[in-house]
């Protein structure tokens, strides 16, 4: 090949690379972006953002005088108020409606036939929302730089606004996507649409006080962004919030006979690990506080995980059995494979890790709280299991019904504990429920921890033994050994 032919060869390769990238791109992302960029609503909102930003810039620039340092914060606040309406209100409502439209009876079945997984579908919607947020940022960024040139704010404040505003919008969109996955009926989806619109509108309206008075509270905004590693913590929270909404939403969209357990269980274990990493990055020397915070977060995650995992059916479906058989050893099928028995093991391991971290903190009050969390979780799960699988097993036949029974048990215990605390703020009757009981354990852990720990250990052992006994029986409908 001659040197004259080289540029032509490079040019001919580029369309092939672009075409391969487009072929591998998420089809939902491509379709949704095309639809939204051509939709009348997006064009109107994008035009309004540009028009209002232009009018604000011209108005402030025409009134600014030499040495006036209040014009720049005022302009930045007006621009932020305009921008946040697009990414905090319009985008979440748009992605919610996009998911709700796909979940219609005439559309969702066809979408399943394409072989597109729920996770990939939700990721495509989320990436489309991220892309549209970047389009708004590209339109508003020049006006932000104009506010900086007015010499009333520093470049760090502008950079923080350009980062945190769209990230907050992406968190709102992820929350809207997660709520859209809850709508099993058209009436419920309509009610959730109104809930999303009203909630986002209220949040945006409440933020107007900050944006319109940015000159006076701008220092607080900068302190939040820089002081105490605020940017790192905010971005880390945003990543896990988005991941949580997408993982739980994808689990809801999967077929009831599919594996809905692995993703949420892995997420429950990753959240305490992430908290430990963030705490260590913020202050590597504060190891005791690090273990204490990680233990409390792990205990809370174990409590929530137990409500869902313990209530699962022991018998797995043929599809779940095949997924379990395909899992490798390093994927820890004993914890993350579907089934009620493995769910109990995952709950037991996570609650035990919470207690271990609490002990490593070398703080008596933290250890008492983590022991209380693990004990209360075991007691509530065992009582919910007793109600759902024993007392009302002919009526409560689904995992959802058993979860409702567990929540009802928790509500009854809380009512009795609050009523008992009427006798005194530190009455031992408050130990009946984790809500006032954890406060009592943190305040007087040495006096009360044995009262909660003994029944908690008994409930923990009973529940695990009951689940282990179920694994000895093979489900004839599972299609593979170890179906239970």
């Amino acid at each position: 090949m001659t040197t004259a032919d080289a540029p032509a060869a490079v040019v001919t390769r580029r369309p092939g690379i672009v075409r391969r990238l487009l072929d591998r791109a998420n089809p939902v992302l491509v379709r949704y972006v095309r639809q939204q960029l051509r939709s009348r609503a997006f064009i109107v909102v994008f035009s309004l953002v540009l028009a209002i930003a232009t009018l604000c810039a011209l108005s402030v620039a025409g009134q600014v005088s030499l040495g006036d340092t209040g014009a720049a914060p005022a302009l930045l606040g007006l621009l932020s108020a305009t921008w946040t309406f697009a990414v905090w209100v319009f985008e979440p409502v748009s992605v919610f409606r996009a998911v709700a439209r796909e979940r219609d009876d005439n559309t969702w079945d066809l979408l399943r036939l394409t072989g597109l997984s729920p996770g990939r579908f939700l990721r495509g919607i989320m990436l489309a929302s991220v892309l549209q947020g970047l389009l708004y940022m590209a339109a508003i960024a020049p006006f932000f730089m104009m506010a900086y040139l007015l010499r009333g704010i520093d470049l760090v404040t502008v950079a923080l606004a350009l980062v945190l505003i769209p990230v907050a919008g992406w968190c709102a969109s992820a929350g809207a996507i997660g709520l859209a996955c809850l709508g099993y009926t058209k009436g419920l989806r309509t009610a959730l649409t109104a809930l999303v619109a009203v909630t986002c509108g209220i949040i945006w309206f409440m933020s107007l006080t900050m944006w319109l008075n940015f000159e006076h509270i701008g220092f607080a905004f900068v302190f939040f962004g820089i002081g105490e590693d605020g940017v790192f913590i905010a971005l880390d929270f945003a990543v896990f919030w988005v991941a949580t909404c997408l993982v739980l939403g994808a689990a809801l969209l999967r077929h009831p006979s599919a594996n809905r357990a692995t993703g949420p269980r892995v997420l429950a274990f990753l959240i305490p690990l992430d908290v430990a990493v963030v705490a260590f990055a913020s202050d590597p020397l504060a190891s005791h506080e690090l273990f204490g915070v990680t233990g409390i977060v792990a205990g809370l995650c174990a409590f929530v995980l137990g409500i869902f995992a313990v209530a699962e059916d022991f018998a797995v479906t043929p599809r779940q059995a095949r997924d379990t058989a395909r899992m490798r050893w390093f994927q820890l099928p004993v914890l993350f494979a579907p089934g009620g028995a493995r769910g109990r093991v995952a709950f037991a391991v996570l609650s035990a890790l919470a207690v271990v971290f609490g002990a490593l903190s070398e703080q008596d009050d933290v250890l008492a709280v983590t022991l209380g969390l693990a004990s209360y979780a075991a007691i509530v799960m065992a009582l919910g299991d007793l109600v759902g699988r024993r007392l009302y097993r002919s009526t409560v036949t689904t995992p959802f019904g058993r979860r409702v029974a567990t929540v009802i048990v928790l509500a009854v215990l809380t009512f009795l504990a609050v009523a008992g605390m009427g006798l005194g703020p530190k009455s031992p009757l408050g130990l009946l429920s984790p809500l006032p009981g954890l406060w009592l354990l943190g305040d007087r852990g040495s006096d009360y921890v044995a009262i909660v720990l003994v029944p908690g250990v008994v409930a923990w052992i009973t529940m695990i033994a009951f689940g282990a006994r179920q694994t000895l029986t093979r489900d004839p409908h599972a299609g593979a050994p170890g179906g239970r």
Side-chain angles (χ1 to χ4, degrees), residues 327-351:
M327 295 181 70
R328 308 292 294 273
W329 65 269
F330 56 84
Q331 294 175 311
L332 300 178
V334 68
L335 296 178
F336 303 132
R342 298 182 181 92
R344 291 164 186 261
V345 175
F347 162 73
V349 170
L350 189 55
S351 58

Side-chain angles (χ1 to χ4, degrees), residues 292-293 295-300 303 351 354-355 358-359 361 363-377 434 437-446 449 452:
V293 172
I296 294 175
V297 172
L300 294 174
F303 206 119
S351 58
V355 176
S361 67
Q363 301 177 45
D364 294 339
D365 54 346
V366 174
L367 177 59
V369 171
T370 53
L371 283 172
L373 274 172
S375 300
Y376 277 121
L438 292 175
W439 173 72
L440 290 175
L441 289 176
D443 186 52
R444 300 176 61 182
S446 59
V449 68
V452 179

Side-chain angles (χ1 to χ4, degrees), residues 60-351:
V60 173
Q63 297 178 7
V64 68
S65 58
L66 185 62
D68 184 7
T69 60
L75 177 58
L76 186 63
L78 292 173
L79 295 174
S80 299
T82 305
W83 185 16
T84 51
F85 176 81
V87 295
W88 291 5
V89 180
F90 176 72
E91 276 303 312
V93 175
S94 297
V95 296
F96 182 94
R97 294 181 59 189
V99 177
R101 284 196 302 267
E102 297 293 346
R103 297 204 62 196
D104 289 338
D105 295 336
N106 297 330
T107 307
W108 186 242
D109 293 337
L110 297 177
L111 187 64
R112 282 179 172 175
L113 292 176
T114 62
L116 189 70
S117 65
R120 196 179 183 195
F121 165 70
L122 295 183
R123 287 194 299 272
I125 297 291
M126 187 65 213
L127 289 174
S129 178
V130 170
L131 181 59
Q132 292 186 67
L134 294 177
L135 289 178
Y136 288 114
M137 184 172 68
I140 208 76
F143 297 98
F144 272 61
M145 293 309 300
M146 177 182 174
Y148 166 70
L149 294 176
L150 292 177
R151 301 299 181 186
I153 54 175
D154 55 5
L155 196 59
V156 174
T157 304
V158 175
L160 288 174
L162 289 174
V163 171
L164 296 179
I165 289 177
V167 168
W170 299 337
C171 291
S173 297
I177 291 173
L179 285 177
C181 297
L182 292 174
Y184 294 102
T185 62
K186 183 174 294 186
L188 180 58
R189 288 194 291 269
T190 302
L192 290 175
T193 303
L195 176 64
V196 170
V198 171
T199 303
C200 293
I202 291 175
I203 293 174
W204 175 76
F205 185 78
M206 293 174 62
S207 70
L208 289 180
T209 303
M210 180 179 68
W211 301 128
L212 299 181
N213 297 277
F214 197 83
E215 180 181 0
H216 304 288
I217 61 175
F219 68 92
F221 183 81
V222 176
F223 176 79
F224 168 76
I226 300 177
E228 304 297 334
D229 299 321
V231 170
F232 178 68
I233 295 175
L235 294 179
D236 179 81
F237 173 80
V239 170
F240 257 84
W241 171 261
V242 172
T244 300
C245 293
L246 296 184
V247 169
L248 297 182
L252 290 173
L253 291 184
R254 286 190 175 91
H255 194 273
S257 63
N259 180 12
R260 289 181 166 186
T262 300
R265 291 183 194 175
V266 172
L267 185 67
F269 277 81
L270 287 179
I271 289 177
L273 177 62
D274 176 73
V275 170
V277 171
V278 172
F280 180 79
S282 301
D283 190 358
L285 300 179
S287 58
H288 298 314
E289 290 79 2
L290 162 67
F291 290 130
V293 172
T294 304
I296 294 175
V297 172
L300 294 174
C301 291
F303 206 119
V304 177
L305 174 65
I307 295 177
F308 292 90
V310 174
E312 291 184 21
D313 291 327
F314 290 116
V316 297
T317 64
R319 187 182 300 183
Q320 293 171 345
R322 289 193 296 269
D323 290 342
T324 303
R326 285 195 293 264
M327 295 181 70
R328 308 292 294 273
W329 65 269
F330 56 84
Q331 294 175 311
L332 300 178
V334 68
L335 296 178
F336 303 132
R342 298 182 181 92
R344 291 164 186 261
V345 175
F347 162 73
V349 170
L350 189 55
S351 58

